[in-house]
Amino acid sequence: MSLRGLSSFPARTPPLRQEQDNRNPKERIVLEDFKIPSTGGDLAPKSNSLSPNTQYNIGRIIDQSQSYENLGKAASQSRPSVAVRRFGRTVVDHKFQETQAQIKPLREYRNRHNHTLADVAVRIHNSNAFVEASATSAEATRRGAMHGSADPPLQARPREKHQAFIALGSNLGDRIGMIQQACVEMDRRGIRVIRTSGLWETEPMYVREQPRFVNGACEVETTLTPMQLLDQLQDIENSLGRRKFVEKGPRNIDLDILLYDDLVMHEERLSIPHKLMLEREFVLRPLCELIPHKRLPSPHARAPLLSHLNALPPPTTPLSALTPLSSSLPPLATSSLARPTMVMAILNLTPDSFSDGGLHSNEPANIVNTVFDFISSGASVIDIGGQSTRPGSYNVGEREELARVIPAIVAIRSSPLVRDVCISVDTYRASVAEAACAAGADIINDVSAGRIDPNMLPTLARLGVTVCLMHSRGTPINMSSLTDYPGGIIPSVAAELLDRVRAAEAAGIRRWRMILDPGIGFAKTTAQSLEILRHLSTLRDFEGLRGLPWLVGASRKGFIGKVTGVAKPEERTWGTAVAMAACVAGGVDIVRVHDVAAMTKVTKMADAVWKV
């Protein structure tokens, strides 16, 4: 942004006033009510969204010799003035961009004080001052560089951090994988992804003849200006192979700025808030997972985003949240009424599990045969456990757990019969989780949701795998004594799980990589476990948890024995069947079971009744 000549300055140029800073002897040169033209020349920036009462640093002062007479009316004034001669870059943004400025006091001022000016900042008193030529003021600090010496170097200021929300979309190739790569690339470039929405499968708008989209949103923290951020996002799109052939047509990756602080700006390349966001469910629904009660800045409609979402007409095909499990399985479609309930088979390699301790041999051939039987009976996921978590169980130690789990994963991945099955590992140790994923595990099922091992959530964020966050309290040793829920079991479990979701988000785990488990039998009485089974749909609809998939493990548990009077866990098949039917009726996505063949039949029948 430059002035073509001082003639583009307004005729009225106010005087300087000088102030003495007693703490650090130096004079402050304050240009008050400086009028900047809104038309003519190229002084007026493109943005009209500078914030009031905010200081904008605009860079270093370079000598520009200009005659005092060029300032029109200022020539008759007795005190000197400071003129903005040229900016090296356009100031386009809301309280962000540090630019290179070229400013110099008039020759008369230099000669009188024998100093140069080192810094200039602009304080805007009216948010539209630059574009509307409203009153603004510039403030400059004069330092002790002597006449004729080089200007002192500009002191770097910490760059201000800003909050932005980015829309994520893809409808070509590995749609979820492409969005994940885009988030990784944003992080790599210093655009820090704070948290993400879920990913929603949506019908295309505008151009109908194209594949279905996967859409989401993320909150980012950045020191970039909006235009710099736009440039980076477009460069990420290009680096990931985006090619634009048809406007609003197919694309492998699409990154759009939706919101940036409370900025309102309209440029040829960028409008904030995004011009079409309020008419698009595929934008509003993921955004409402992050900021449902956010109101857009004036002059936009001031209703919360959730109200805008609820006011949209219902879509022909409802949006469905997606959760990837493994390369061999389609993602869970949590909101789809037609989705089948998935069966997870329990493979405990422990001698002390409450139901099947010591049942399964750790020999590779036996592992492969057992897994093959599970798959043949209807299991889609195998959950391998090397550390019992039953009430009162003892800690076997990391080395023993690894010795049980890793050979089993290797055996499965080495067998052509079963190597493509989705593998989950039941562990609360970060080191075991990392080793398991390196060996080929797809999911980590942590009964503590990252509470027991503080390294678990950051490790899973780095690995990028799907995690099941289960509600529990304490440890297997003391959890049976932690069953007091003064606020009620459903609100308490929901609120405590939401805390774990937020902890996972803070660690960097993407929302579309989370599965929830209410923790039947873990720090729950029989009555509380039954209450959860009755109100699974309420848990699923809790604010902050909507759209997330749910897994329930009620198979053969003690509360079933207490209700039915069956003492031996392996004989609790009928009670387990009823609990599985309740899970299906409550909208659960995955059931974790011992009796795979029987429970597969139960879930199929329950799906036929409740999922229509």
Side-chain angles (χ1 to χ4, degrees), residues 559-560 564 571-580:
F559 81 101
I560 295 175
T564 61
E571 295 178 1
R572 296 171 184 164
T573 306
W574 292 108
T576 298
V578 176
M580 295 304 100

Side-chain angles (χ1 to χ4, degrees), residues 325-326 328-329 380-382 413 420-424 442-443:
L325 299 177
S326 74
S328 62
L329 288 177
S380 299
V381 184
I382 309 300
R413 291 295 183 228
D420 293 330
V421 72
C422 179
I423 297 176
S424 167
D442 302 291
I443 301 169

Side-chain angles (χ1 to χ4, degrees), residues 104-124:
K104 196 64 185 176
L106 298 173
R107 179 175 300 176
E108 287 80 359
Y109 182 78
R110 283 187 61 187
N111 293 340
R112 181 178 306 173
H113 293 276
N114 204 30
H115 285 289
T116 60
L117 291 177
D119 302 301
V120 171
V122 173
R123 181 172 286 112
I124 305 302

Side-chain angles (χ1 to χ4, degrees), residues 537-549:
S537 59
T538 303
L539 273 176
R540 291 177 63 241
D541 197 46
F542 193 84
E543 184 170 343
L545 304 182
R546 296 188 191 105
L548 290 170

Side-chain angles (χ1 to χ4, degrees), residues 322-356:
L322 301 181
T323 302
L325 299 177
S326 74
S327 59
S328 62
L329 288 177
L332 289 174
T334 304
S335 305
S336 171
L337 295 177
R339 71 192 189 283
T341 302
M342 195 170 287
V343 173
M344 172 186 278
I346 300 170
L347 179 58
N348 281 328
L349 302 176
T350 53
D352 60 334
S353 291
F354 79 96
S355 172
D356 54 355

Side-chain angles (χ1 to χ4, degrees), residues 256-469:
D256 289 324
I257 302 173
L258 301 174
L259 299 169
Y260 189 109
D261 289 341
D262 285 322
L263 172 64
V264 177
M265 68 176 288
H266 300 289
E267 298 266 352
E268 183 178 351
R269 292 180 60 210
L270 178 63
S271 290
I272 299 176
H274 193 286
K275 289 187 293 187
L276 302 177
M277 61 181 287
L278 295 183
E279 70 181 46
R280 297 173 169 180
E281 184 182 4
F282 66 82
V283 172
L284 285 177
R285 189 163 295 282
L287 198 55
C288 283
E289 289 184 310
L290 300 173
I291 46 172
H293 305 298
K294 170 75 174 177
R295 299 173 188 268
L296 296 186
S298 178
H300 295 274
R302 296 295 290 166
L305 291 176
L306 188 59
S307 296
H308 289 289
L309 174 62
N310 293 335
L312 292 177
T316 304
T317 304
L319 276 63
S320 181
L322 301 181
T323 302
L325 299 177
S326 74
S327 59
S328 62
L329 288 177
L332 289 174
T334 304
S335 305
S336 171
L337 295 177
R339 71 192 189 283
T341 302
M342 195 170 287
V343 173
M344 172 186 278
I346 300 170
L347 179 58
N348 281 328
L349 302 176
T350 53
D352 60 334
S353 291
F354 79 96
S355 172
D356 54 355
L359 178 63
H360 302 295
S361 166
N362 219 4
E363 291 296 320
N366 290 330
I367 292 290
V368 169
N369 289 335
T370 299
V371 170
F372 182 77
D373 288 343
F374 284 159
I375 296 171
S376 301
S377 299
S380 299
V381 184
I382 309 300
D383 191 45
I384 301 173
Q387 162 70 64
S388 176
T389 54
R390 63 176 176 80
S393 60
Y394 64 92
N395 188 336
V396 299
E398 174 188 351
R399 180 177 297 181
E400 178 63 26
E401 186 178 1
L402 286 168
R404 294 171 180 178
V405 170
I406 303 305
I409 299 173
V410 171
I412 294 169
R413 291 295 183 228
S414 301
S415 169
L417 283 175
V418 297
R419 63 186 174 196
D420 293 330
V421 72
C422 179
I423 297 176
S424 167
V425 170
D426 183 358
T427 184
Y428 52 73
R429 288 191 176 93
S431 57
V432 174
E434 182 152 16
C437 290
D442 302 291
I443 301 169
I444 297 301
N445 182 11
D446 182 357
V447 297
S448 77
R451 288 185 305 99
I452 293 177
D453 187 342
N455 294 320
M456 177 63 93
L457 297 181
T459 297
L460 297 181
R462 175 169 48 82
L463 296 174
V465 297
T466 297
V467 55
C468 182
L469 303 171

Side-chain angles (χ1 to χ4, degrees), residues 168-172 175 178-179 212-214 251-253:
L168 312 167
S170 175
N171 74 333
L172 293 177
R175 301 170 299 172
M178 191 60 63
I179 289 172
R212 288 165 65 86
F213 276 86
V214 171
R251 67 216 77 165
N252 66 323
I253 188 64

